[in-house]
Amino acid sequence: MLSLKRFNLTDLLAFIVISIGAVFMIAPLLWTLSTSFKSKAEVFALPPVWIPETFHFEKYIEIWEKGPLLSGIQNSLIITVCVTIIGTFTSSLAAFAFAKLRFPFKNMIFLLLLSALMIPYPAVMIPQFILFSEFGWVDTLKPLIVPGLFGNIMMIFFLRQYLTSVPGAIIEAAKIDGSSYFGIFSKIIFPLIRPAVAAQLILWFMAVWNDYLAPIIYLNSPEKQTLQLVIANFNATYAIQTDYALIMAASFIALLPMLIIFLVFQKQIIESVAISGVKG
Amino acid sequence: MKVRSNLYRKESYYGYLFVLAPVVGYLLFTMYPLLYSLYGSFTDWDGLGQMTFIGLDNFKDILADELFYKASFNTIFMMIGIPIEITLALLLAMGLNRKMFGTTTFRVIYYVPVISSLAAVSILWQWAYNGDYGLVNQFLALFGFEGPNWLTDKYTVKPALILMMIWKNIGYSMLLYLAALQSVPKDYYEAAQLDGANSWNIFWNITFPMVKPVTFFIVVTKIIGGAQIFTEVNIMTPTGGPEYSSATVVFYVWKKAFENLQMGYASGMAMLLGLFIFVITLVQFRMNERSSKDME
């Protein structure tokens, strides 16, 4: 009885500490949201105003006129959709080959690809930039799309691990039935690995959507920039005018797509992260 | 025999075909640029004109460059956040691993910053750190403290960045620990309790060793990530901070390459960074191998 009571007390204590932590985690985000609705006086009010007296929605209309926010969203969408859809196809096809097909030097090739995980982007970004500028691709979306189409090594690694639990007998049986290798992939393998693919695709989508370093290198003209660059420019431009409500509205719009995706696919994302970490 | 070898040849053919895309991508966008960068680091190169071979001159200059040391120091200094984050994440995960009310909600709340765009998060923290009306100082004022102007003071800019990065990333480490804790067999804890072990003993002899592979994974990925900090510095302190006190190596490489067009010099620094990451990863894998052998 005594030990039960003690454990409840620890639980309560843990709950309180975690709750306080949660307030700190969420406060900056709520502050962004609330500031975007504030009047100028409320932005600078001391002590801070958390709930504006009247909600000003003007800034959410202004941001579309004051900067290329819409084209930023479009550009980000074009890049992420192209990269993740085609890149996922090439990655899962390669994962299938690495996990289930027999060909000479297979493991050597796989290890070689894995070595790329150890090479940071900053180490290759300069020659990549020179290469793409020779193609005349600077200030287009191509340098941000094309490399991704060739697949994602982390995804190949993850899907290959996932496929090792699929019995080889299924594939042998399909072969005897006269199925082509691509048929085996599209009719048997892909449906089997679909949950893993979905989880990896979401993670990759978020990474490409939120990327900042590669876009800042390649994209100069405002109408070519991705959403992340557009809001960073908003920040730099309107800071002088201290129009925080405007900056916060733009930032919140930039946060929104991923927040929605996360809330919808929360379970898959969390599971996928957990699996890749524990197995990796 | 003939049929069999034909089948095998066909399988090999398709095998190569299916892995062709990532292999070509690897050669084109990783291997070739890496070798190019390596060569570039031995040249005087502005990215437009000729590459003139100058031997080790870039590296001599880099090793005498005060700003390079500053950027390296800043980068390593900011890794102080890693042990803090890992400790907090483990404590948090242990708390959330209990059967208690609202665990799913907490998991979501702590994970939201992880999925948020780093650019947007950097912007909101930049204003939260504002000396006059930023959220952080308004909070400190509640307790009677007068906070500094965090990002324009050379002593506070790095701690400010560290704090923000812990806030941004802690959910990720927490989630990995939570997954690891849930895979620890319950019998271990029950047996230990029967033996009369106290909480500290249980933590030190069961929990900690069981989550060691995850700790290893987090440490390696955090150091690799920490060595490449760029976005938050670029947005929150566009000039590299007061007296370059928040500039990181990647920030400096980026400046040199794309603003000063010193591609050869920047390549040299990028190679040193790559080498650092490679060595760290290798050392840690060696250590992990040895310690997992010890455990057996």
Side-chain angles (χ1 to χ4, degrees), chain A:
Chain A
M1 197 59 212
L2 192 79
S3 95
L4 194 73
K5 214 172 180 180
R6 196 171 64 96
F7 269 82
N8 279 339
L9 192 70
T10 335
D11 276 347
L12 186 70
L13 211 68
F15 181 80
I16 292 169
V17 172
I18 291 169
S19 303
I20 294 171
V23 171
F24 280 102
M25 295 307 286
I26 210 80
L29 295 163
L30 289 179
W31 185 65
T32 303
L33 183 63
S34 105
T35 304
S36 69
F37 291 118
K38 283 179 195 167
S39 67
K40 196 134 194 172
E42 282 170 325
V43 168
F44 301 112
L46 285 171
V49 178
W50 281 90
I51 300 163
E53 205 157 299
T54 46
F55 280 79
H56 295 268
F57 292 96
E58 302 96 80
K59 296 297 169 188
Y60 282 90
I61 300 159
E62 254 179 65
I63 46 173
W64 305 99
E65 296 153 2
K66 289 217 165 155
L69 201 61
L70 195 65
S71 72
I73 293 173
Q74 266 169 5
N75 292 334
S76 288
L77 261 181
I78 293 170
I79 294 170
T80 32
V81 169
C82 286
V83 165
T84 51
I85 301 286
I86 300 173
T88 297
F89 172 73
T90 47
S91 303
S92 43
L93 205 56
F96 163 54
F98 280 127
K100 291 293 167 214
L101 297 184
R102 282 161 298 177
F103 54 94
F105 307 114
K106 182 173 79 170
N107 290 332
M108 225 174 81
I109 298 171
F110 183 66
L111 280 177
L112 201 72
L113 288 186
L114 272 190
S115 74
L117 291 177
M118 268 199 253
I119 299 162
Y121 178 68
V124 295
M125 71 182 178
I126 296 169
Q128 267 194 25
F129 177 81
I130 303 291
L131 180 75
F132 288 129
S133 65
E134 268 164 28
F135 293 171
W137 285 4
V138 173
D139 210 23
T140 71
L141 303 183
K142 285 178 205 150
L144 303 169
I145 295 173
V146 174
L149 304 181
F150 291 85
N152 173 326
I153 290 162
M154 201 61 217
M155 190 181 216
I156 295 172
F157 177 70
F158 184 81
L159 294 178
R160 177 182 171 270
Q161 297 285 87
Y162 194 89
L163 271 171
T164 47
S165 60
V166 174
I170 302 179
I171 292 155
E172 294 305 319
K175 264 195 243 174
I176 290 163
D177 285 348
S179 229
S180 71
Y181 285 97
F182 189 74
I184 296 172
F185 170 74
S186 61
K187 292 203 188 75
I188 302 171
I189 299 293
F190 194 76
L192 271 173
I193 58 173
R194 208 151 48 193
V197 167
Q200 286 289 305
L201 192 135
I202 298 166
L203 290 180
W204 196 10
F205 190 97
M206 295 201 299
V208 178
W209 181 273
N210 290 337
D211 189 21
Y212 183 78
L213 179 53
I216 203 179
I217 291 172
Y218 289 106
L219 307 174
N220 307 314
S221 9
E223 71 279 2
K224 294 277 168 54
Q225 293 180 333
T226 60
L227 180 60
Q228 311 305 328
L229 293 185
V230 171
I231 57 154
N233 284 341
F234 250 99
N235 183 40
T237 313
Y238 292 100
I240 311 153
Q241 305 172 18
T242 58
D243 197 346
Y244 294 151
L246 188 79
I247 293 170
M248 291 303 159
S251 300
F252 189 71
I253 292 289
L255 288 171
L256 206 57
M258 286 306 116
L259 283 181
I260 294 169
I261 290 183
F262 176 58
L263 291 178
V264 174
F265 296 104
Q266 187 240 110
K267 228 182 122 198
Q268 286 87 337
I269 292 173
I270 285 182
E271 264 168 26
S272 180
V273 170
I275 293 168
S276 57
V278 173
K279 280 198 176 161

